[in-house]
Amino acid sequence: MPRLAIRTPLHGTATQPRRARRMSAAQAGDFLRALAMHNPTPETELLYATPFTLLVAVVLSAQTTDAAVNRCTPALFAAAPGPAEMAALGAEGIAPFIRTIGLWQGKAKNVAALSSLLVERHGGEVPTDRAALEALPGVGRKTANVVLNVAFGESTMAVDTHIFRLGNRTGLAPGKTPREVEDGLVRRCPPELLRDAHHWLILHGRYICKARRPECWRCPAATHCNYGDKVAEPG
Protein backbone atom coordinates (compact mmCIF):
# COMPACT_ATOMS: atom_id res chain seq x y z
CA MET A 1 0.00 0.00 0.00
CA PRO A 2 1.45 3.41 -0.93
CA ARG A 3 2.37 5.68 1.98
CA LEU A 4 0.38 8.86 2.29
CA ALA A 5 2.34 12.08 2.38
CA ILE A 6 1.82 14.15 5.53
CA ARG A 7 1.13 17.73 4.54
CA THR A 8 1.70 20.70 6.81
CA PRO A 9 -1.43 22.87 6.97
CA LEU A 10 -1.08 25.85 4.65
CA HIS A 11 -1.47 28.40 7.41
CA GLY A 12 0.74 26.67 9.98
CA THR A 13 0.11 25.05 13.35
CA ALA A 14 -0.22 26.31 16.92
CA THR A 15 3.39 25.47 17.74
CA GLN A 16 4.80 26.22 14.28
CA PRO A 17 2.89 29.17 12.83
CA ARG A 18 3.80 30.58 9.45
CA ARG A 19 6.32 33.41 9.77
CA ALA A 20 6.16 36.56 7.67
CA ARG A 21 8.75 39.25 7.09
CA ARG A 22 9.07 41.50 10.13
CA MET A 23 7.05 44.70 9.87
CA SER A 24 8.72 48.06 10.18
CA ALA A 25 7.96 50.03 13.35
CA ALA A 26 5.75 52.41 11.37
CA GLN A 27 3.91 49.50 9.77
CA ALA A 28 3.37 47.87 13.18
CA GLY A 29 1.86 51.10 14.48
CA ASP A 30 -0.45 51.35 11.47
CA PHE A 31 -1.52 47.71 11.92
CA LEU A 32 -2.49 48.27 15.57
CA ARG A 33 -4.22 51.58 14.84
CA ALA A 34 -6.34 49.83 12.24
CA LEU A 35 -7.41 47.27 14.86
CA ALA A 36 -8.08 50.14 17.28
CA MET A 37 -10.43 51.86 14.84
CA HIS A 38 -12.30 48.59 14.39
CA ASN A 39 -12.60 48.01 18.17
CA PRO A 40 -11.88 51.20 20.14
CA THR A 41 -12.71 49.83 23.62
CA PRO A 42 -11.46 46.22 23.77
CA GLU A 43 -12.09 44.18 26.91
CA THR A 44 -11.40 40.68 28.13
CA GLU A 45 -14.19 38.21 27.44
CA LEU A 46 -13.69 36.47 30.79
CA LEU A 47 -16.38 37.20 33.38
CA TYR A 48 -15.00 38.64 36.62
CA ALA A 49 -15.85 41.17 39.31
CA THR A 50 -12.61 41.59 41.31
CA PRO A 51 -8.88 41.04 40.80
CA PHE A 52 -9.30 37.71 42.62
CA THR A 53 -12.08 36.42 40.39
CA LEU A 54 -10.11 37.59 37.34
CA LEU A 55 -7.04 35.69 38.57
CA VAL A 56 -9.06 32.52 39.07
CA ALA A 57 -10.77 32.86 35.68
CA VAL A 58 -7.43 33.27 33.90
CA VAL A 59 -5.94 30.25 35.68
CA LEU A 60 -9.00 28.21 34.66
CA SER A 61 -8.76 29.41 31.04
CA ALA A 62 -5.45 27.65 30.33
CA GLN A 63 -5.91 25.29 27.37
CA THR A 64 -9.65 25.94 27.38
CA THR A 65 -11.89 28.61 25.88
CA ASP A 66 -13.09 31.73 27.68
CA ALA A 67 -16.65 30.71 26.82
CA ALA A 68 -16.22 27.36 28.61
CA VAL A 69 -14.79 29.12 31.67
CA ASN A 70 -17.63 31.65 31.71
CA ARG A 71 -20.17 28.84 31.84
CA CYS A 72 -18.82 27.51 35.13
CA THR A 73 -17.43 30.51 37.04
CA PRO A 74 -20.68 32.34 37.95
CA ALA A 75 -21.74 29.47 40.22
CA LEU A 76 -18.19 29.05 41.55
CA PHE A 77 -17.83 32.75 42.37
CA ALA A 78 -21.27 32.85 43.99
CA ALA A 79 -20.14 30.06 46.31
CA ALA A 80 -16.66 31.50 46.87
CA PRO A 81 -16.29 35.20 45.96
CA GLY A 82 -12.98 35.67 47.77
CA PRO A 83 -9.77 33.83 48.63
CA ALA A 84 -10.88 32.80 52.12
CA GLU A 85 -14.10 31.23 50.83
CA MET A 86 -12.28 29.56 47.94
CA ALA A 87 -9.61 28.15 50.27
CA ALA A 88 -12.37 26.84 52.54
CA LEU A 89 -13.92 24.98 49.60
CA GLY A 90 -10.63 23.25 48.90
CA ALA A 91 -9.86 21.32 45.74
CA GLU A 92 -12.64 18.81 46.40
CA GLY A 93 -15.20 21.59 46.79
CA ILE A 94 -14.01 23.50 43.74
CA ALA A 95 -13.90 20.48 41.43
CA PRO A 96 -17.68 19.99 40.96
CA PHE A 97 -17.98 23.55 39.62
CA ILE A 98 -15.29 23.16 36.95
CA ARG A 99 -15.58 19.56 35.73
CA THR A 100 -16.68 20.76 32.28
CA ILE A 101 -13.35 22.44 31.48
CA GLY A 102 -10.06 20.86 30.50
CA LEU A 103 -7.52 19.81 33.13
CA TRP A 104 -10.04 20.49 35.89
CA GLN A 105 -8.36 18.27 38.50
CA GLY A 106 -5.08 20.17 38.43
CA LYS A 107 -6.83 23.52 38.15
CA ALA A 108 -8.97 22.78 41.23
CA LYS A 109 -5.81 22.06 43.23
CA ASN A 110 -4.08 25.20 41.96
CA VAL A 111 -7.05 27.49 42.68
CA ALA A 112 -7.38 26.10 46.20
CA ALA A 113 -3.64 26.44 46.84
CA LEU A 114 -3.30 29.95 45.43
CA SER A 115 -6.32 31.07 47.45
CA SER A 116 -4.72 29.77 50.65
CA LEU A 117 -1.48 31.58 49.83
CA LEU A 118 -3.31 34.83 49.14
CA VAL A 119 -4.83 34.63 52.61
CA GLU A 120 -1.60 33.58 54.32
CA ARG A 121 0.91 35.82 52.53
CA HIS A 122 -1.03 38.75 51.09
CA GLY A 123 -3.91 39.45 53.45
CA GLY A 124 -6.43 38.08 50.99
CA GLU A 125 -5.43 40.56 48.29
CA VAL A 126 -4.09 39.82 44.81
CA PRO A 127 -0.52 41.18 44.68
CA THR A 128 0.39 43.81 42.11
CA ASP A 129 3.97 42.52 41.91
CA ARG A 130 4.87 40.19 39.06
CA ALA A 131 7.20 38.00 41.10
CA ALA A 132 4.58 37.54 43.82
CA LEU A 133 1.94 36.66 41.23
CA GLU A 134 4.17 34.12 39.48
CA ALA A 135 4.94 32.51 42.84
CA LEU A 136 1.29 31.45 43.13
CA PRO A 137 0.35 27.90 42.03
CA GLY A 138 -0.89 27.76 38.44
CA VAL A 139 0.25 31.31 37.66
CA GLY A 140 2.87 31.73 34.95
CA ARG A 141 4.07 34.75 33.03
CA LYS A 142 1.06 34.86 30.72
CA THR A 143 -1.46 34.76 33.58
CA ALA A 144 0.48 37.37 35.53
CA ASN A 145 0.52 39.64 32.47
CA VAL A 146 -3.26 39.36 32.05
CA VAL A 147 -3.91 40.21 35.71
CA LEU A 148 -1.44 43.12 35.69
CA ASN A 149 -3.00 44.44 32.46
CA VAL A 150 -6.71 43.99 33.15
CA ALA A 151 -6.94 44.37 36.93
CA PHE A 152 -4.16 46.89 37.54
CA GLY A 153 -3.88 48.83 34.27
CA GLU A 154 -0.29 47.97 33.42
CA SER A 155 0.93 47.96 29.83
CA THR A 156 1.79 44.27 29.63
CA MET A 157 1.54 41.83 26.75
CA ALA A 158 0.21 38.36 27.57
CA VAL A 159 1.13 36.03 24.71
CA ASP A 160 -1.33 33.18 24.28
CA THR A 161 -1.60 30.90 21.25
CA HIS A 162 -3.55 33.58 19.32
CA ILE A 163 -0.96 36.31 19.86
CA PHE A 164 1.93 33.92 19.22
CA ARG A 165 0.34 33.03 15.89
CA LEU A 166 -0.38 36.65 14.95
CA GLY A 167 3.04 37.91 15.93
CA ASN A 168 4.56 35.42 13.50
CA ARG A 169 1.97 35.21 10.73
CA THR A 170 1.52 38.96 10.25
CA GLY A 171 5.17 39.90 10.78
CA LEU A 172 4.22 42.10 13.72
CA ALA A 173 6.73 40.41 16.03
CA PRO A 174 8.09 37.09 14.72
CA GLY A 175 9.65 34.82 17.33
CA LYS A 176 10.32 31.17 18.11
CA THR A 177 8.97 31.34 21.67
CA PRO A 178 6.12 33.22 23.39
CA ARG A 179 8.70 35.30 25.27
CA GLU A 180 10.41 36.34 22.03
CA VAL A 181 7.05 37.41 20.60
CA GLU A 182 6.17 39.24 23.83
CA ASP A 183 9.45 41.14 23.89
CA GLY A 184 9.11 42.02 20.21
CA LEU A 185 5.59 43.34 20.69
CA VAL A 186 6.53 45.41 23.75
CA ARG A 187 9.43 46.96 21.81
CA ARG A 188 7.43 47.71 18.68
CA CYS A 189 3.99 48.73 19.91
CA PRO A 190 3.53 52.48 20.27
CA PRO A 191 3.48 53.06 24.06
CA GLU A 192 0.00 54.57 24.04
CA LEU A 193 -1.38 51.44 22.33
CA LEU A 194 0.45 48.75 24.30
CA ARG A 195 -2.09 48.08 27.04
CA ASP A 196 -5.03 47.65 24.66
CA ALA A 197 -2.91 45.82 22.06
CA HIS A 198 -3.13 42.71 24.24
CA HIS A 199 -6.91 42.62 23.76
CA TRP A 200 -6.92 43.70 20.13
CA LEU A 201 -4.59 40.88 19.15
CA ILE A 202 -6.32 38.16 21.17
CA LEU A 203 -9.75 39.07 19.78
CA HIS A 204 -8.36 39.45 16.27
CA GLY A 205 -6.80 35.99 16.44
CA ARG A 206 -9.92 34.47 17.95
CA TYR A 207 -12.43 35.79 15.43
CA ILE A 208 -10.62 36.89 12.24
CA CYS A 209 -7.00 35.74 11.91
CA LYS A 210 -7.97 32.18 12.82
CA ALA A 211 -5.53 29.31 13.10
CA ARG A 212 -6.71 27.01 10.32
CA ARG A 213 -8.04 29.58 7.88
CA PRO A 214 -7.61 33.31 8.46
CA GLU A 215 -10.53 35.41 7.24
CA CYS A 216 -8.33 38.04 5.62
CA TRP A 217 -11.23 39.56 3.70
CA ARG A 218 -12.68 40.73 7.05
CA CYS A 219 -9.40 42.03 8.47
CA PRO A 220 -9.33 45.81 9.07
CA ALA A 221 -5.52 45.72 9.08
CA ALA A 222 -4.97 43.53 6.01
CA THR A 223 -3.22 46.26 4.02
CA HIS A 224 -0.54 46.53 6.73
CA CYS A 225 0.00 42.74 7.13
CA ASN A 226 3.00 40.96 5.63
CA TYR A 227 1.38 37.53 5.40
CA GLY A 228 1.90 36.28 1.86
CA ASP A 229 -1.02 33.84 1.56
CA LYS A 230 -3.98 36.04 2.37
CA VAL A 231 -7.33 34.32 2.00
CA ALA A 232 -9.89 35.80 -0.39
CA GLU A 233 -13.58 35.99 0.44
CA PRO A 234 -15.30 32.69 -0.40
CA GLY A 235 -17.45 32.73 -3.47
Side-chain angles (χ1 to χ4, degrees):
M1 179 180 295
R3 299 179 64 181
L4 297 176
I6 299 175
R7 298 181 61 189
T8 301
L10 175 63
H11 303 292
T13 66
T15 56
Q16 294 182 315
R18 292 281 301 276
R19 298 182 71 182
R21 174 177 51 84
R22 187 184 305 273
M23 293 183 188
S24 67
Q27 189 179 359
D30 289 341
F31 182 94
L32 291 168
R33 290 185 185 94
L35 296 185
M37 291 183 65
H38 182 70
N39 183 11
T41 55
E43 296 180 350
T44 179
E45 293 188 321
L46 287 170
L47 300 178
Y48 75 98
T50 64
F52 172 70
T53 54
L54 173 67
L55 173 62
V56 172
V58 180
V59 169
L60 295 179
S61 71
Q63 298 184 50
T64 242
T65 65
D66 287 3
V69 173
N70 289 341
R71 285 193 289 270
C72 67
T73 50
L76 174 62
F77 295 153
E85 297 90 343
M86 195 72 75
L89 278 182
E92 291 185 358
I94 294 168
F97 291 98
I98 64 170
R99 287 182 190 274
T100 56
I101 65 174
L103 307 176
W104 60 270
Q105 297 98 326
K107 291 176 182 179
K109 293 177 182 178
N110 284 335
V111 170
L114 73 83
S115 299
S116 295
L117 287 179
L118 289 178
V119 173
E120 295 168 10
R121 296 181 183 175
H122 304 287
E125 299 294 327
V126 176
T128 59
D129 175 71
R130 176 187 295 282
L133 280 170
E134 292 187 23
L136 297 172
V139 179
R141 185 175 182 85
K142 184 193 77 172
T143 296
N145 276 337
V146 174
V147 173
L148 292 171
N149 182 294
V150 177
F152 303 122
E154 293 194 20
S155 295
T156 57
M157 177 61 66
V159 176
D160 68 349
T161 55
H162 294 300
I163 294 183
F164 183 67
R165 179 176 69 252
L166 261 67
N168 281 285
R169 178 187 281 168
T170 65
L172 188 59
K176 295 181 180 179
T177 66
R179 185 59 189 271
E180 283 185 19
V181 172
E182 177 189 337
D183 291 344
L185 288 170
V186 170
R187 284 195 304 268
R188 306 180 78 241
C189 284
E192 71 277 11
L193 300 180
L194 181 55
R195 185 189 176 201
D196 284 339
H198 161 72
H199 297 296
W200 286 323
L201 294 174
I202 284 178
L203 296 173
H204 190 61
R206 187 173 291 164
Y207 297 112
I208 297 179
C209 196
K210 300 176 182 179
R212 293 187 178 182
R213 188 170 184 272
E215 298 181 2
C216 303
W217 68 91
R218 296 201 299 119
C219 176
T223 56
H224 309 294
C225 172
N226 283 346
Y227 186 52
D229 292 314
K230 292 185 175 65
V231 180
E233 184 173 3

